[in-house]
Amino acid sequence: MPRMSATLLSRIRLIALAATGLVCLAYGVSAMILGRPDPFPSWIPVAFGGGSALLIFLSAFAAGNRNAEIATDELYFAESHRAQIFGFWVALMMYPVFGVALGSGWIAYPVAFAAMGTLSAAAFLLSFSILNARGGV
Amino acid sequence: MSDLDNALKVLRTERGLTQAALADSVGVSRKTINTIENQVFIPSTVLALKLAHALGVSVHDVFQLPDRTPGP
């Protein structure tokens, strides 16, 4: 049985993570706009996250060890690391931003928690997707 | 402006290798080779040595510090 290529594995990973990032971004933004912690069923971002993980795992299994290692070479780790840095600072900056919003009464606590969590995830997922699609750090 | 110049594309094409073929020989993705050639990504020492070995040259023939780098 022919192995999945490293290129295809990378493409599947990119699409899965980008889609999950967009769903998380939509959830967080919708929560803030609608003023509710569940703008749409919360199982949707969960399904995208879990489904992406499963899809990537199965694809890596189908690709085999060598192709999986090629798909996770040092450029991949550099892109991932850069995205983690961006995600870290976005997550950190959310505390003062949402702190002001909460203190000013612009947003309720449940909405803030829903938005902060999903937007933090979106920051990493989307920045990695952009770096990975563009190529290079 | 990159911190490292390289002659990777020149050496690769002289040997009739595609980016994919060179990438496969050193165990990285074709995109990695492309970003190195375009000086967007600086490889690790290990990968630099692997590339030089795959091309049959010294690592100094592949990678060089830019001329503007101050000396000792």
Side-chain angles (χ1 to χ4, degrees):
Chain A
M1 183 179 165
R3 293 283 187 188
M4 179 183 291
S5 70
T7 302
L8 180 56
L9 170 58
S10 298
R11 206 155 285 163
I12 289 172
R13 178 183 62 204
L14 171 62
I15 292 170
L17 295 182
T20 303
L22 287 172
V23 169
C24 288
L25 179 65
Y27 194 94
V29 171
S30 298
M32 290 191 295
I33 290 175
L34 298 176
R36 49 183 298 165
D38 55 348
F40 51 85
S42 56
W43 62 260
I44 292 178
V46 171
F48 267 83
S52 292
L54 182 62
L55 177 61
I56 293 168
F57 175 80
L58 291 174
S59 299
F61 185 77
N65 284 344
R66 186 165 190 277
N67 286 338
E69 285 176 6
I70 290 173
T72 53
D73 63 4
E74 55 187 68
L75 176 63
Y76 160 80
F77 277 106
E79 292 166 344
S80 176
H81 182 67
R82 186 74 171 258
Q84 287 177 45
I85 293 172
F86 178 75
F88 168 79
W89 285 109
V90 167
L92 206 60
M93 290 301 111
M94 281 201 195
Y95 283 92
V97 170
F98 276 83
V100 169
L102 285 164
S104 302
W106 300 335
I107 195 170
Y109 276 90
V111 176
F113 287 139
M116 289 172 73
T118 49
L119 291 177
S120 294
F124 165 73
L125 291 167
L126 293 177
S127 60
F128 170 78
S129 298
I130 292 169
L131 288 169
N132 191 243
R134 189 182 70 183
V137 292
Chain B
M1 201 175 288
S2 175
D3 291 329
L4 191 69
D5 294 337
N6 74 75
L8 185 62
K9 184 175 183 178
V10 171
L11 293 168
R12 174 179 62 79
T13 53
E14 279 177 357
R15 286 149 182 77
L17 294 171
T18 61
Q19 289 182 340
L22 181 59
D24 190 64
S25 70
V26 297
V28 297
S29 65
R30 186 206 60 80
K31 191 175 78 169
T32 300
I33 299 298
N34 181 264
T35 54
I36 294 172
E37 288 184 355
N38 292 325
Q39 299 184 26
V40 171
F41 176 65
I42 297 177
S44 65
T45 304
V46 172
L47 180 55
L49 287 166
K50 284 183 179 178
L51 287 167
H53 185 262
L55 294 169
V57 297
S58 162
V59 68
H60 298 287
D61 294 327
V62 187
F63 299 98
Q64 308 88 31
L65 291 172
D67 288 339
R68 67 181 184 283
T69 304

